[in-house]
């Protein structure tokens, strides 16, 4: 019995030794594998010094450059391009500033030296001198007019002819058709029917109307409270609100009204400064 127990003990010891041996072999194999994984294996080709830099430089040289078939140095191109763009932007800013300065200096001024405040389309800005307007129908022409009539200014004759009745507000004069003496607030200028009648000065048309005494008429604003009325007209071409240059057509001489049948066809010319009539002969050239 004892012998049998010893035999079993030896068998178990053998098995333990066998298992330990196997475990030792497995552990040794694992260590070798780990060392191989961590170690540097010998490369199958010769390691060249600086080969990474060489291949990177070669790839850089062969890379296509967008917009440049010659593949020149991209760094210098970007620098030059940025410099050109910066100079162009600077020149553009300088040009815009210069244009603004020129526009400010070129703005028309009124007789008292104030800026007229005309907008780009020729209309008057708020606060601008109302005397400054544009010439042409409806004020649409490009040339600006300065309505700055003063005491020393001169007018053109609206039509050439003899003066049939003088201006007279201090005393009465005789009117042949009416067969009476009365004051005359204007000039009665002899002219033929259908003769053109022209604006005597740069003006804005305040009114175009008709009354029994002077027939169809036009009232013109010359600026600085000076106004002129031209009557005995027909086929009036001037429109209310329109700005006219001196010598621009107003209309044509009409047949005389019943107040001037004996005097004959004429142009009636009345001038006012404010509410007071003045003698047009003092201002006609």
């Amino acid at each position: 019995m004892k012998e049998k127990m010893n035999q079993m003990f030896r068998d178990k010891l053998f098995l333990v030794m066998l298992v330990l041996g196997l475990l030792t072999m497995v552990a040794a194999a694992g260590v070798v594998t780990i060392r191989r994984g961590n170690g540097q294996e010998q490369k199958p080709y010769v390691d060249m010094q600086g080969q990474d830099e060489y291949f990177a430089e070669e790839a850089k040289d062969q890379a296509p450059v967008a917009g440049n078939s010659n593949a020149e140095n991209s760094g210098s191109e970007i620098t030059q391009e940025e410099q050109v763009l910066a100079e162009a932007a600077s020149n553009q800013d300088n040009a815009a500033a210069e244009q603004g300065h020129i526009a400010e200096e070129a703005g028309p001024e009124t007789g008292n030296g104030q800026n007229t405040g005309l907008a780009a389309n020729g209309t008057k800005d708020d606060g601008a001198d109302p005397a400054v307007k544009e010439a042409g129908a409806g004020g649409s022409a490009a040339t600006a007019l300065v309505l700055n009539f003063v005491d020393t200014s001169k007018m053109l004759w609206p039509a050439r002819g003899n003066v049939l009745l003088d201006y007279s507000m201090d005393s009465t004069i005789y009117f042949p058709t009416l067969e009476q003496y009365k004051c005359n607030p204007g000039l009665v200028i002899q002219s033929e029917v259908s003769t053109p009648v022209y604006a005597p000065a740069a003006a804005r048309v305040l009114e175009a109307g008709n009354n029994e005494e002077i027939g169809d008429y036009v009232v013109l604003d010359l600026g600085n409270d000076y106004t002129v009325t031209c009557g005995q007209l027909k086929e009036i071409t001037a429109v209310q609100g329109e700005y006219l240059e001196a010598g621009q057509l107003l209309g044509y001489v009409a047949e005389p009204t019943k107040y001037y049948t004996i005097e004959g066809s004429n142009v009636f010319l009345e001038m006012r400064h404010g509410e007071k009539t003045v003698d047009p002969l003092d201002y006609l050239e």
Side-chain angles (χ1 to χ4, degrees):
M1 184 70 178
K2 184 176 179 181
E3 175 103 10
K4 193 179 285 188
M5 292 294 292
N6 289 335
Q7 185 64 35
M8 289 178 62
F9 178 76
R10 285 195 292 269
D11 291 341
K12 289 182 179 181
L13 181 61
F14 176 76
L15 289 173
V16 170
M17 294 298 292
L18 182 61
V19 171
L20 289 175
L22 291 174
L23 290 174
T24 301
M25 291 176 64
V26 171
V31 169
V32 172
T33 302
I34 292 172
R35 285 183 177 180
R36 285 185 178 180
N38 294 335
Q40 294 182 355
E41 297 182 358
Q42 185 176 2
K43 297 180 181 178
Y45 52 84
V46 178
D47 188 51
M48 296 174 59
Q49 185 176 3
Q51 60 184 350
D52 293 336
E53 291 81 4
Y54 172 79
F55 289 126
E57 187 67 26
E58 183 176 348
K60 178 181 177 180
D61 293 340
Q62 293 179 356
V65 179
N68 186 358
S69 60
N70 295 328
E72 296 178 354
N73 188 297
S74 60
S76 62
E77 287 179 351
I78 294 175
T79 303
Q80 293 175 0
E81 183 177 357
E82 289 177 348
Q83 183 177 1
V84 171
L85 291 175
E87 292 178 356
S90 178
N91 293 337
Q92 185 175 3
D93 292 340
N94 292 337
E98 184 65 21
Q99 289 178 356
H101 180 66
I102 292 174
E104 291 177 358
E105 292 184 347
E109 295 183 352
T110 60
N112 57 7
Q114 295 178 346
N115 191 286
T116 62
L118 286 177
N121 62 358
T123 58
K124 180 177 70 63
D125 292 338
D126 292 339
D129 192 329
V132 179
K133 294 293 182 179
E134 291 189 354
S140 60
T143 304
L145 291 179
V146 178
L147 304 184
N148 190 32
F149 199 91
V150 295
D151 187 57
T152 56
S153 300
K154 292 296 182 181
M155 300 188 301
L156 303 175
W157 286 76
R160 290 290 179 177
N162 296 324
V163 176
L164 299 176
L165 296 172
D166 287 316
Y167 168 86
S168 180
M169 292 299 290
D170 296 331
S171 60
T172 59
I173 59 174
Y174 185 71
F175 282 73
T177 301
L178 300 177
E179 296 182 348
Q180 61 176 307
Y181 287 88
K182 68 172 192 170
C183 293
N184 186 20
L187 295 178
V188 177
I189 305 169
Q190 185 180 28
S191 188
E192 297 294 330
V193 175
S194 297
T195 299
V197 180
Y198 303 102
R204 181 171 66 94
V205 181
L206 291 179
E207 180 186 353
N210 175 275
N211 69 32
E212 186 180 40
E213 184 174 353
I214 62 173
D216 291 343
Y217 64 88
V218 175
V219 181
L220 304 176
D221 176 18
L222 308 185
N224 296 326
D225 289 331
Y226 282 92
T227 59
V228 162
T229 300
C230 294
Q232 301 283 352
L233 304 180
K234 68 176 182 178
E235 300 175 18
I236 294 174
T237 59
V239 180
Q240 183 175 352
E242 181 181 5
Y243 286 80
L244 304 174
E245 293 179 342
Q248 192 167 340
L249 184 67
L250 293 178
Y252 300 88
V253 178
E255 295 287 345
T257 64
K258 63 182 181 180
Y259 288 80
Y260 298 96
T261 54
I262 294 179
E263 289 84 351
S265 57
N266 65 86
V267 175
F268 175 79
L269 180 64
E270 177 181 321
M271 188 173 187
R272 289 179 174 270
H273 186 207
E275 297 298 323
K276 182 182 178 181
T277 59
V278 293
D279 189 351
L281 274 178
D282 293 338
Y283 299 92
L284 289 170
E285 293 180 342

